[in-house]
Amino acid sequence: MTIEQIKAALRAQPFRPFRIRTSDSQVYDVRHPEMAAMLKGMERTLFVALPGQDAAAVIDLPHVTAITFDNGKGKSRRRAG
């Protein structure tokens, strides 16, 4: 997975929901583009809102091992793998 591929998934028009898996087997669902953000000057870091919480996961992009796309019908969640 490259940082450019992740950026492309975030900018896709129309947006397609996707799931991120990290090297420590964590899984994060990004169901809407508003659920994830990269800050200018911090392009190696992705912030993903955690549903039902006033918190966000901070993901170091080199640790992303996979992005999978689905049809958007899944429920947003964060779970340990």
Side-chain angles (χ1 to χ4, degrees):
M1 214 61 286
T2 68
I3 292 172
E4 303 314 320
Q5 290 170 309
I6 296 165
K7 287 180 180 180
L10 290 170
R11 294 187 202 127
Q13 292 295 325
F15 179 80
R16 292 175 52 207
F18 61 93
R19 177 171 288 161
I20 296 171
R21 181 174 299 275
T22 61
S23 59
D24 63 353
S25 298
Q26 294 292 309
V27 176
Y28 303 93
D29 288 340
V30 180
R31 296 281 163 229
H32 303 283
E34 299 85 20
M35 290 183 66
M38 294 176 74
L39 302 178
K40 190 172 185 176
M42 295 180 67
E43 286 84 12
R44 287 178 36 120
T45 305
L46 178 67
F47 299 88
V48 177
L50 299 176
Q53 301 178 38
D54 290 331
V58 180
I59 302 169
D60 188 23
L61 293 182
H63 291 282
V64 173
T65 59
I67 291 181
T68 55
F69 294 88
D70 62 24
N71 61 9
K73 293 181 182 176
K75 188 174 182 181
S76 295
R77 67 180 182 263
R78 175 185 168 259
R79 64 181 170 97

